[in-house]
Amino acid sequence: MDRFQIALRLLLTVDRYIMGWVTEERAWRQDAAERARPPFPDEALRDLPLLSEAADVLRMTDHDADFDYGLRVLIEGFRAEVAREAGPGPG
């Protein structure tokens, strides 16, 4: 795959990531009243410690930090792909 194809795939991937994120964020804001209720009532989580821990993390999520993390992971993945496609460096 040449650099143009890799760049185009990066552009499309980032565009789709952003569009998906914006779509989710809009839905989240529209359903704010419904989302005020916890997705899993505490009594339902009593016997499920891993799910309970995940629910706690989701309740405290920082959407901006989550977006930045995902974008950084995408970019780093493409950086690795470009390096792999370029082949071994001098040395």
Side-chain angles (χ1 to χ4, degrees):
M1 188 177 339
D2 67 22
R3 287 182 181 261
F4 175 77
Q5 290 172 323
I6 292 171
L8 182 57
R9 282 188 171 175
L10 173 59
L11 176 66
L12 290 173
T13 301
V14 169
D15 178 65
R16 290 171 181 153
Y17 174 75
I18 291 170
M19 294 303 293
W21 194 271
V22 168
T23 300
E24 286 291 321
E25 192 170 73
R26 286 185 66 202
W28 184 80
R29 290 177 194 270
Q30 288 175 349
D31 299 335
E34 184 176 315
R35 291 182 185 264
R37 291 180 287 135
F40 301 104
D42 289 334
E43 60 274 5
L45 300 174
R46 190 177 11 242
D47 298 324
L48 303 167
L50 292 177
L51 186 56
S52 178
E53 184 178 343
D56 289 343
V57 170
L58 290 173
R59 289 177 186 145
M60 298 181 313
T61 192
D62 177 342
H63 295 283
D64 291 336
D66 291 344
F67 175 84
D68 292 346
Y69 174 82
L71 187 58
R72 187 175 66 250
V73 168
L74 283 173
I75 291 170
E76 289 301 319
F78 271 99
R79 183 174 285 144
E81 179 68 12
V82 167
R84 187 183 67 76
E85 289 286 332

